[in-house]
Amino acid sequence: TFPPRARRTDPQTSQRAGRLARQFAAGHAALILDSLIGNPGTIKEIASRTGLDHVAVARRMGELQKDGKVYLSGEERDGCREWRKS
């Protein structure tokens, strides 16, 4: 579940931008999950695999973790925590 990107009281332009942001978030989440199938990774590794910016990946990981779709493995590489698909 992705958090709302605009308030009901925001102007129509903000409402539209919020809907588009939700679509981008869903697309990013799908790319991230696909990249983790049988292949755990750090945020930097996931970003490299998907072509997404590491900031965009980091933003999605918390949402995906909350939804139970990914988890932290407890492993680290180069000072970065490793993520796995649930």
Side-chain angles (χ1 to χ4, degrees):
T1 307
F2 297 106
R5 307 288 184 201
R7 294 178 296 269
R8 291 186 193 129
T9 57
D10 285 345
Q12 285 297 99
T13 52
S14 295
Q15 294 285 333
R16 183 173 183 274
R19 285 190 299 276
L20 290 174
R22 194 172 305 127
Q23 290 172 350
F24 280 117
H28 291 175
L31 285 172
I32 290 166
L33 290 172
D34 285 348
S35 81
L36 289 172
I37 295 172
N39 197 14
T42 66
I43 285 177
K44 290 178 184 178
E45 291 167 346
I46 296 165
S48 177
R49 290 181 211 157
T50 60
L52 297 172
D53 181 84
H54 74 280
V55 175
V57 172
R59 185 173 290 132
R60 297 285 83 79
M61 297 314 284
E63 295 166 354
L64 291 169
Q65 184 179 33
K66 181 179 174 189
D67 287 345
K69 295 180 179 177
V70 299
Y71 66 95
L72 288 166
S73 71
E75 301 293 321
E76 285 191 19
R77 279 192 295 289
D78 299 322
C80 297
R81 298 180 298 172
E82 180 187 82
W83 291 88
R84 293 182 179 261
K85 188 173 187 298
S86 299

Coordinates of all heavy atoms in Angstrom, one line a residue:
T1 N 0.8 -1.2 0.0 CA 0.0 0.0 0.0 C 0.9 1.2 0.0 O 1.8 1.4 0.8 CB -0.9 0.0 1.3 OG1 -1.6 -1.2 1.3 CG2 -1.8 1.2 1.2
F2 N 0.6 2.1 -0.9 CA 1.4 3.3 -1.0 C 0.7 4.5 -0.4 O -0.5 4.6 -0.5 CB 1.7 3.6 -2.5 CG 2.6 2.5 -3.1 CD1 2.0 1.7 -4.0 CD2 3.9 2.4 -2.8 CE1 2.8 0.7 -4.6 CE2 4.7 1.4 -3.4 CZ 4.1 0.5 -4.3
P3 N 1.4 5.3 0.3 CA 0.7 6.4 1.0 C 0.1 7.4 0.0 O 0.6 7.5 -1.1 CB 1.8 7.1 1.8 CG 3.1 6.6 1.2 CD 2.8 5.3 0.5
P4 N -0.9 8.2 0.4 CA -1.5 9.2 -0.5 C -0.4 10.2 -0.9 O 0.4 10.6 0.0 CB -2.6 9.8 0.3 CG -2.6 9.1 1.6 CD -1.5 8.2 1.7
R5 N -0.4 10.7 -2.1 CA 0.5 11.6 -2.6 C 0.0 13.0 -2.6 O 0.7 14.0 -2.9 CB 1.0 11.2 -3.9 CG 1.6 9.8 -4.0 CD 2.9 9.7 -3.3 NE 3.4 8.3 -3.5 CZ 4.3 7.8 -2.8 NH1 4.8 8.4 -1.8 NH2 4.6 6.5 -3.0
A6 N -1.3 13.2 -2.4 CA -2.0 14.5 -2.4 C -3.2 14.4 -1.4 O -3.8 13.4 -1.2 CB -2.4 14.9 -3.8
R7 N -3.5 15.6 -0.9 CA -4.7 15.7 0.0 C -5.9 16.0 -0.8 O -5.9 16.5 -1.9 CB -4.5 16.8 1.0 CG -3.3 16.5 2.0 CD -3.2 17.7 2.9 NE -2.8 18.9 2.2 CZ -1.5 19.3 2.0 NH1 -0.5 18.5 2.4 NH2 -1.2 20.4 1.4
R8 N -7.1 15.6 -0.3 CA -8.3 15.9 -1.0 C -8.6 17.4 -1.2 O -9.2 17.8 -2.2 CB -9.5 15.3 -0.2 CG -9.6 13.8 -0.2 CD -10.8 13.3 0.5 NE -10.6 11.9 0.7 CZ -10.8 11.3 1.9 NH1 -11.2 12.0 2.9 NH2 -10.6 10.0 2.0
T9 N -8.0 18.2 -0.4 CA -8.2 19.6 -0.4 C -7.2 20.3 -1.4 O -7.3 21.5 -1.6 CB -8.1 20.3 1.0 OG1 -6.8 19.9 1.5 CG2 -9.2 19.8 1.9
D10 N -6.2 19.6 -1.9 CA -5.2 20.1 -2.8 C -5.9 20.5 -4.2 O -6.9 19.9 -4.5 CB -4.1 19.1 -3.1 CG -3.1 19.1 -1.9 OD1 -3.2 19.9 -1.0 OD2 -2.4 18.1 -1.8
P11 N -5.3 21.4 -4.9 CA -5.8 21.7 -6.2 C -5.8 20.5 -7.2 O -5.0 19.5 -7.0 CB -4.9 22.8 -6.8 CG -4.0 23.2 -5.6 CD -4.1 22.1 -4.6
Q12 N -6.6 20.6 -8.2 CA -6.6 19.5 -9.2 C -5.3 19.1 -9.8 O -5.0 17.9 -10.0 CB -7.6 19.8 -10.4 CG -9.0 19.8 -10.0 CD -9.5 18.4 -9.6 OE1 -9.5 18.0 -8.4 NE2 -9.7 17.5 -10.6
T13 N -4.4 20.1 -10.0 CA -3.1 19.8 -10.5 C -2.3 18.9 -9.6 O -1.6 18.0 -10.0 CB -2.3 21.1 -10.9 OG1 -2.3 21.9 -9.7 CG2 -2.9 21.8 -12.0
S14 N -2.4 19.2 -8.3 CA -1.7 18.4 -7.3 C -2.4 17.0 -7.2 O -1.6 16.0 -7.0 CB -1.8 19.1 -5.9 OG -1.1 20.3 -6.0
Q15 N -3.7 16.9 -7.3 CA -4.3 15.6 -7.3 C -3.8 14.7 -8.5 O -3.5 13.6 -8.3 CB -5.9 15.8 -7.4 CG -6.5 16.5 -6.3 CD -6.7 15.6 -5.1 OE1 -6.7 14.4 -5.2 NE2 -6.7 16.2 -3.9
R16 N -3.7 15.3 -9.6 CA -3.2 14.6 -10.8 C -1.8 14.2 -10.6 O -1.4 13.0 -10.9 CB -3.3 15.5 -12.1 CG -2.9 14.7 -13.3 CD -3.2 15.6 -14.6 NE -2.8 14.8 -15.8 CZ -1.6 14.8 -16.3 NH1 -0.6 15.5 -15.7 NH2 -1.4 14.1 -17.4
A17 N -1.0 15.1 -10.1 CA 0.4 14.7 -9.8 C 0.5 13.6 -8.8 O 1.4 12.7 -8.9 CB 1.2 15.9 -9.3
G18 N -0.3 13.6 -7.8 CA -0.4 12.5 -6.8 C -0.7 11.2 -7.5 O -0.1 10.2 -7.1
R19 N -1.7 11.2 -8.4 CA -2.0 9.9 -9.1 C -0.9 9.4 -9.9 O -0.6 8.2 -9.9 CB -3.3 10.1 -9.9 CG -4.6 10.2 -9.1 CD -5.8 10.2 -10.0 NE -5.8 11.3 -11.0 CZ -6.3 12.5 -10.7 NH1 -6.8 12.8 -9.5 NH2 -6.4 13.4 -11.7
L20 N -0.2 10.3 -10.6 CA 1.0 9.9 -11.4 C 2.1 9.4 -10.6 O 2.7 8.4 -10.9 CB 1.4 11.1 -12.3 CG 0.5 11.5 -13.4 CD1 1.0 12.8 -14.1 CD2 0.3 10.4 -14.4
A21 N 2.3 10.0 -9.4 CA 3.4 9.6 -8.5 C 3.1 8.2 -8.0 O 4.0 7.3 -7.9 CB 3.5 10.5 -7.3
R22 N 1.8 7.9 -7.7 CA 1.4 6.5 -7.3 C 1.7 5.5 -8.4 O 2.2 4.4 -8.1 CB -0.1 6.5 -6.9 CG -0.5 5.3 -6.1 CD -1.9 5.4 -5.6 NE -2.1 6.6 -4.8 CZ -3.1 7.5 -5.0 NH1 -4.0 7.3 -5.9 NH2 -3.2 8.6 -4.2
Q23 N 1.4 5.9 -9.6 CA 1.7 5.0 -10.7 C 3.2 4.7 -10.8 O 3.7 3.6 -11.0 CB 1.2 5.5 -12.0 CG -0.3 5.5 -12.1 CD -0.8 6.3 -13.4 OE1 0.0 7.0 -14.0 NE2 -2.1 6.2 -13.6
F24 N 4.0 5.8 -10.7 CA 5.5 5.6 -10.7 C 5.9 4.7 -9.6 O 6.8 3.8 -9.8 CB 6.2 6.9 -10.6 CG 6.3 7.7 -11.9 CD1 5.7 8.9 -12.0 CD2 7.0 7.2 -13.0 CE1 5.7 9.6 -13.2 CE2 7.1 7.9 -14.2 CZ 6.4 9.1 -14.3
A25 N 5.4 4.9 -8.4 CA 5.8 4.1 -7.2 C 5.4 2.6 -7.5 O 6.3 1.8 -7.2 CB 5.0 4.6 -6.0
A26 N 4.3 2.4 -8.0 CA 3.9 1.0 -8.3 C 4.8 0.3 -9.3 O 5.3 -0.8 -9.2 CB 2.5 0.9 -8.8
G27 N 5.2 1.1 -10.4 CA 6.1 0.6 -11.4 C 7.5 0.4 -10.8 O 8.1 -0.7 -11.1
H28 N 8.0 1.3 -10.0 CA 9.3 1.1 -9.3 C 9.3 -0.1 -8.4 O 10.2 -0.9 -8.4 CB 9.6 2.3 -8.5 CG 9.9 3.5 -9.4 ND1 10.2 4.8 -8.8 CD2 10.0 3.7 -10.7 CE1 10.4 5.7 -9.8 NE2 10.3 5.0 -10.9
A29 N 8.2 -0.3 -7.7 CA 8.1 -1.4 -6.8 C 8.2 -2.7 -7.6 O 8.8 -3.7 -7.2 CB 6.8 -1.4 -6.0
A30 N 7.5 -2.8 -8.7 CA 7.5 -4.0 -9.5 C 8.9 -4.3 -10.0 O 9.4 -5.5 -10.0 CB 6.5 -3.9 -10.7
L31 N 9.6 -3.3 -10.5 CA 11.0 -3.4 -10.9 C 11.9 -4.0 -9.8 O 12.7 -4.9 -10.0 CB 11.6 -2.1 -11.4 CG 11.1 -1.6 -12.8 CD1 11.6 -0.2 -13.0 CD2 11.6 -2.5 -13.9
I32 N 11.7 -3.4 -8.6 CA 12.6 -3.8 -7.5 C 12.3 -5.2 -7.1 O 13.2 -6.0 -6.9 CB 12.3 -2.8 -6.3 CG1 12.9 -1.4 -6.6 CG2 12.8 -3.4 -5.0 CD1 12.4 -0.4 -5.7
L33 N 11.0 -5.6 -7.0 CA 10.7 -7.0 -6.6 C 11.2 -8.0 -7.7 O 11.7 -9.0 -7.3 CB 9.2 -7.1 -6.5 CG 8.6 -6.4 -5.2 CD1 7.1 -6.4 -5.3 CD2 9.1 -7.0 -4.0
D34 N 11.1 -7.6 -8.9 CA 11.6 -8.5 -10.0 C 13.1 -8.7 -9.9 O 13.6 -9.8 -10.0 CB 11.3 -8.0 -11.4 CG 9.8 -8.2 -11.8 OD1 9.1 -8.9 -11.1 OD2 9.4 -7.6 -12.8
S35 N 13.8 -7.6 -9.5 CA 15.3 -7.7 -9.4 C 15.7 -8.5 -8.2 O 16.8 -9.0 -8.2 CB 15.9 -6.3 -9.3 OG 15.8 -5.8 -8.0
L36 N 14.8 -8.7 -7.2 CA 15.2 -9.5 -6.0 C 14.8 -10.9 -6.1 O 15.1 -11.7 -5.2 CB 14.5 -8.8 -4.8 CG 15.0 -7.5 -4.4 CD1 14.2 -6.9 -3.3 CD2 16.5 -7.6 -3.9
I37 N 14.2 -11.4 -7.2 CA 13.8 -12.8 -7.3 C 15.1 -13.6 -7.4 O 15.9 -13.5 -8.3 CB 12.9 -13.0 -8.5 CG1 11.6 -12.3 -8.3 CG2 12.7 -14.6 -8.7 CD1 10.7 -12.4 -9.6
G38 N 15.3 -14.4 -6.3 CA 16.5 -15.3 -6.2 C 17.8 -14.5 -6.2 O 18.9 -15.1 -6.4
N39 N 17.8 -13.2 -6.0 CA 19.0 -12.4 -6.1 C 19.0 -11.3 -5.1 O 18.6 -10.1 -5.4 CB 19.1 -11.9 -7.5 CG 20.5 -11.4 -7.8 OD1 21.5 -11.7 -7.1 ND2 20.6 -10.7 -8.9
P40 N 19.3 -11.5 -3.8 CA 19.2 -10.4 -2.8 C 20.2 -9.3 -3.2 O 21.1 -9.4 -4.1 CB 19.7 -11.0 -1.5 CG 20.5 -12.2 -1.9 CD 19.9 -12.7 -3.3
G41 N 19.9 -8.1 -2.7 CA 20.8 -7.0 -3.0 C 20.7 -5.8 -2.1 O 19.7 -5.7 -1.3
T42 N 21.7 -5.0 -2.1 CA 21.7 -3.7 -1.4 C 21.0 -2.7 -2.2 O 20.7 -2.9 -3.4 CB 23.1 -3.2 -1.1 OG1 23.7 -2.9 -2.4 CG2 24.0 -4.3 -0.4
I43 N 20.7 -1.6 -1.6 CA 20.0 -0.5 -2.4 C 20.8 -0.1 -3.6 O 20.2 0.1 -4.7 CB 19.7 0.7 -1.4 CG1 18.5 0.3 -0.5 CG2 19.3 1.9 -2.2 CD1 18.2 1.3 0.5
K44 N 22.1 0.0 -3.5 CA 22.9 0.4 -4.6 C 22.9 -0.7 -5.7 O 22.8 -0.4 -6.9 CB 24.3 0.6 -4.2 CG 24.5 1.9 -3.4 CD 25.9 2.1 -2.9 CE 26.1 3.3 -2.0 NZ 27.4 3.4 -1.5
E45 N 22.9 -2.0 -5.3 CA 22.8 -3.1 -6.3 C 21.5 -3.1 -7.0 O 21.4 -3.3 -8.2 CB 23.1 -4.4 -5.6 CG 24.6 -4.5 -5.1 CD 24.8 -5.7 -4.2 OE1 23.8 -6.3 -3.6 OE2 25.9 -6.0 -3.9
I46 N 20.4 -2.9 -6.2 CA 19.1 -2.9 -6.8 C 19.0 -1.7 -7.8 O 18.4 -1.9 -8.9 CB 18.0 -2.8 -5.7 CG1 18.1 -4.1 -4.8 CG2 16.6 -2.6 -6.3 CD1 17.3 -3.9 -3.5
A47 N 19.5 -0.6 -7.4 CA 19.4 0.6 -8.3 C 20.2 0.3 -9.6 O 19.7 0.6 -10.7 CB 20.0 1.8 -7.6
S48 N 21.3 -0.4 -9.5 CA 22.1 -0.7 -10.7 C 21.3 -1.7 -11.6 O 21.3 -1.5 -12.8 CB 23.4 -1.3 -10.3 OG 24.2 -1.7 -11.4
R49 N 20.7 -2.7 -11.0 CA 19.9 -3.7 -11.7 C 18.7 -3.1 -12.4 O 18.3 -3.6 -13.5 CB 19.5 -4.8 -10.8 CG 20.5 -5.7 -10.3 CD 19.9 -6.8 -9.4 NE 20.8 -7.1 -8.4 CZ 20.4 -7.7 -7.3 NH1 19.2 -7.9 -7.0 NH2 21.3 -8.0 -6.4
T50 N 18.0 -2.2 -11.8 CA 16.8 -1.7 -12.3 C 16.9 -0.4 -13.1 O 15.9 -0.1 -13.8 CB 15.8 -1.4 -11.1 OG1 16.4 -0.4 -10.3 CG2 15.5 -2.6 -10.3
G51 N 18.0 0.3 -13.0 CA 18.1 1.6 -13.7 C 17.5 2.7 -12.9 O 17.4 3.8 -13.4
L52 N 17.0 2.4 -11.7 CA 16.4 3.5 -10.9 C 17.5 4.2 -10.1 O 18.6 3.6 -9.8 CB 15.4 2.9 -9.9 CG 14.2 2.2 -10.5 CD1 13.4 1.5 -9.4 CD2 13.3 3.2 -11.3
D53 N 17.2 5.4 -9.7 CA 18.1 6.1 -8.8 C 18.1 5.5 -7.4 O 17.0 5.0 -7.0 CB 17.7 7.6 -8.7 CG 18.6 8.4 -7.8 OD1 19.6 8.9 -8.3 OD2 18.2 8.6 -6.6
H54 N 19.2 5.4 -6.7 CA 19.2 4.8 -5.4 C 18.3 5.4 -4.4 O 17.8 4.8 -3.5 CB 20.7 4.7 -4.8 CG 21.2 6.0 -4.3 ND1 21.7 6.9 -5.2 CD2 21.3 6.5 -3.1 CE1 22.1 8.0 -4.4 NE2 21.8 7.7 -3.2
V55 N 18.0 6.7 -4.6 CA 17.1 7.4 -3.7 C 15.7 6.9 -3.9 O 14.9 6.7 -3.0 CB 17.1 8.9 -3.9 CG1 16.1 9.7 -3.1 CG2 18.5 9.5 -3.5
A56 N 15.3 6.7 -5.2 CA 14.0 6.1 -5.5 C 13.8 4.7 -4.9 O 12.8 4.3 -4.4 CB 13.8 6.1 -7.0
V57 N 14.9 3.9 -5.0 CA 14.9 2.5 -4.5 C 14.7 2.6 -3.0 O 13.9 1.9 -2.4 CB 16.2 1.8 -4.9 CG1 16.2 0.4 -4.1 CG2 16.3 1.6 -6.4
A58 N 15.5 3.4 -2.3 CA 15.4 3.5 -0.9 C 14.0 4.0 -0.4 O 13.5 3.4 0.6 CB 16.5 4.6 -0.4
R59 N 13.4 4.8 -1.2 CA 12.1 5.3 -0.8 C 11.1 4.1 -0.9 O 10.2 4.0 0.0 CB 11.6 6.4 -1.8 CG 10.3 7.1 -1.4 CD 10.0 8.2 -2.3 NE 11.0 9.3 -2.0 CZ 11.7 10.0 -2.8 NH1 11.6 9.8 -4.1 NH2 12.4 11.0 -2.4
R60 N 11.2 3.3 -1.9 CA 10.2 2.2 -2.0 C 10.5 1.1 -1.0 O 9.5 0.3 -0.7 CB 10.4 1.6 -3.4 CG 10.0 2.5 -4.6 CD 8.5 2.7 -4.8 NE 8.0 3.8 -3.9 CZ 8.1 5.1 -4.1 NH1 8.8 5.5 -5.1 NH2 7.6 5.9 -3.3
M61 N 11.7 0.9 -0.6 CA 12.0 -0.3 0.3 C 11.2 -0.3 1.6 O 10.7 -1.3 2.0 CB 13.5 -0.4 0.6 CG 14.4 -0.6 -0.6 SD 13.8 -1.9 -1.8 CE 14.2 -3.3 -0.9
G62 N 11.1 0.9 2.2 CA 10.3 1.0 3.4 C 8.8 0.6 3.2 O 8.2 -0.1 4.0
E63 N 8.3 1.0 2.1 CA 6.9 0.7 1.8 C 6.7 -0.8 1.5 O 5.8 -1.4 2.0 CB 6.4 1.5 0.5 CG 6.4 3.0 0.8 CD 6.3 3.8 -0.5 OE1 6.4 3.3 -1.6 OE2 6.1 5.1 -0.4
L64 N 7.7 -1.3 0.7 CA 7.6 -2.8 0.4 C 7.8 -3.6 1.7 O 7.2 -4.7 1.9 CB 8.7 -3.1 -0.6 CG 8.4 -2.6 -2.0 CD1 9.7 -2.7 -2.9 CD2 7.2 -3.3 -2.6
Q65 N 8.7 -3.2 2.6 CA 8.9 -3.9 3.9 C 7.6 -3.8 4.7 O 7.2 -4.9 5.2 CB 10.1 -3.3 4.6 CG 10.4 -4.0 5.9 CD 11.6 -3.4 6.6 OE1 11.8 -2.2 6.6 NE2 12.4 -4.2 7.3
K66 N 7.0 -2.7 4.8 CA 5.7 -2.6 5.5 C 4.7 -3.5 5.0 O 3.9 -4.1 5.8 CB 5.3 -1.1 5.5 CG 4.0 -0.8 6.3 CD 3.6 0.6 6.2 CE 2.3 0.8 6.9 NZ 1.8 2.2 6.6
D67 N 4.6 -3.7 3.7 CA 3.7 -4.6 3.0 C 4.1 -6.1 3.1 O 3.4 -6.9 2.6 CB 3.5 -4.2 1.6 CG 2.7 -2.9 1.4 OD1 2.0 -2.4 2.4 OD2 2.7 -2.3 0.3
G68 N 5.2 -6.3 3.7 CA 5.7 -7.7 3.9 C 6.3 -8.3 2.6 O 6.4 -9.5 2.5
K69 N 6.6 -7.5 1.6 CA 7.1 -8.0 0.3 C 8.6 -8.2 0.3 O 9.2 -8.9 -0.5 CB 6.6 -7.1 -0.8 CG 5.1 -7.2 -0.9 CD 4.7 -6.3 -2.0 CE 3.1 -6.4 -2.1 NZ 2.6 -5.5 -3.1
V70 N 9.3 -7.4 1.2 CA 10.8 -7.6 1.3 C 11.2 -7.5 2.8 O 10.4 -7.1 3.6 CB 11.5 -6.4 0.5 CG1 11.2 -6.4 -0.9 CG2 11.2 -5.1 1.1
Y71 N 12.4 -8.0 3.0 CA 12.9 -7.9 4.4 C 14.4 -7.7 4.4 O 15.1 -8.1 3.4 CB 12.5 -9.1 5.2 CG 13.1 -10.4 4.7 CD1 14.3 -10.9 5.3 CD2 12.6 -11.2 3.7 CE1 14.9 -12.1 4.8 CE2 13.1 -12.3 3.2 CZ 14.3 -12.8 3.8 OH 14.8 -14.0 3.4
L72 N 15.0 -7.2 5.4 CA 16.4 -7.1 5.6 C 16.9 -8.5 6.0 O 16.4 -9.1 7.0 CB 16.8 -6.0 6.6 CG 16.5 -4.6 6.2 CD1 16.6 -3.6 7.4 CD2 17.6 -4.2 5.1
S73 N 18.0 -8.9 5.3 CA 18.5 -10.3 5.6 C 19.4 -10.3 6.8 O 19.7 -11.4 7.3 CB 19.3 -10.8 4.4 OG 20.5 -10.0 4.2
G74 N 19.9 -9.2 7.3 CA 20.9 -9.2 8.3 C 22.3 -9.2 7.8 O 23.3 -9.0 8.6
E75 N 22.5 -9.4 6.5 CA 23.8 -9.3 5.9 C 24.1 -7.9 5.4 O 23.2 -7.1 5.2 CB 23.8 -10.3 4.7 CG 23.5 -11.7 5.0 CD 24.6 -12.4 5.8 OE1 25.8 -12.1 5.6 OE2 24.3 -13.1 6.7
E76 N 25.4 -7.6 5.3 CA 25.8 -6.3 4.8 C 27.0 -6.5 3.7 O 27.7 -7.5 3.9 CB 26.4 -5.4 5.9 CG 25.3 -4.9 6.8 CD 25.9 -3.8 7.7 OE1 27.0 -3.2 7.4 OE2 25.2 -3.5 8.7
R77 N 27.0 -5.6 2.8 CA 28.1 -5.6 1.8 C 28.5 -4.1 1.6 O 27.7 -3.3 1.4 CB 27.7 -6.2 0.5 CG 27.7 -7.7 0.4 CD 27.6 -8.2 -1.0 NE 26.3 -7.9 -1.6 CZ 25.2 -8.5 -1.3 NH1 25.1 -9.4 -0.3 NH2 24.1 -8.2 -1.9
D78 N 29.8 -3.9 1.7 CA 30.3 -2.5 1.6 C 29.6 -1.5 2.4 O 29.3 -0.4 2.0 CB 30.2 -2.1 0.1 CG 31.1 -3.0 -0.8 OD1 32.2 -3.4 -0.4 OD2 30.6 -3.3 -1.9
G79 N 29.2 -1.9 3.6 CA 28.5 -1.0 4.6 C 27.0 -0.8 4.3 O 26.4 0.0 4.9
C80 N 26.5 -1.6 3.3 CA 25.1 -1.4 2.9 C 24.3 -2.7 3.3 O 24.8 -3.8 3.1 CB 24.9 -1.2 1.4 SG 25.7 0.3 0.9
R81 N 23.1 -2.5 3.9 CA 22.3 -3.7 4.3 C 21.7 -4.4 3.1 O 21.4 -3.8 2.1 CB 21.2 -3.2 5.2 CG 21.7 -2.6 6.5 CD 20.6 -2.1 7.4 NE 19.8 -1.1 6.7 CZ 18.7 -0.6 7.2 NH1 18.2 -1.0 8.4 NH2 18.0 0.3 6.6
E82 N 21.6 -5.7 3.2 CA 21.1 -6.5 2.1 C 19.6 -6.7 2.3 O 19.1 -7.1 3.3 CB 21.8 -7.9 2.1 CG 21.3 -8.8 1.0 CD 22.0 -10.2 1.1 OE1 21.4 -11.0 1.9 OE2 23.0 -10.4 0.4
W83 N 18.9 -6.6 1.2 CA 17.4 -6.9 1.1 C 17.1 -8.2 0.4 O 17.8 -8.5 -0.6 CB 16.7 -5.7 0.4 CG 16.8 -4.4 1.2 CD1 17.7 -3.5 1.1 CD2 15.8 -4.0 2.1 NE1 17.4 -2.4 2.0 CE2 16.2 -2.7 2.6 CE3 14.6 -4.5 2.5 CZ2 15.5 -1.9 3.5 CZ3 13.8 -3.7 3.4 CH2 14.3 -2.5 3.9
R84 N 16.1 -8.8 0.8 CA 15.6 -10.0 0.1 C 14.1 -9.9 -0.1 O 13.4 -9.3 0.7 CB 15.9 -11.3 0.9 CG 17.3 -11.6 1.1 CD 17.6 -12.9 1.9 NE 19.0 -13.2 2.0 CZ 19.6 -14.0 1.2 NH1 19.0 -14.7 0.3 NH2 20.9 -14.2 1.3
K85 N 13.6 -10.6 -1.2 CA 12.2 -10.7 -1.4 C 11.6 -11.7 -0.5 O 12.2 -12.7 -0.2 CB 12.0 -11.1 -2.9 CG 10.6 -11.0 -3.4 CD 10.5 -11.3 -4.8 CE 9.1 -11.1 -5.4 NZ 8.1 -12.0 -4.8
S86 N 10.4 -11.4 0.1 CA 9.7 -12.3 1.0 C 9.1 -13.4 0.3 O 8.8 -13.4 -0.9 CB 8.7 -11.5 1.8 OG 9.3 -10.5 2.5

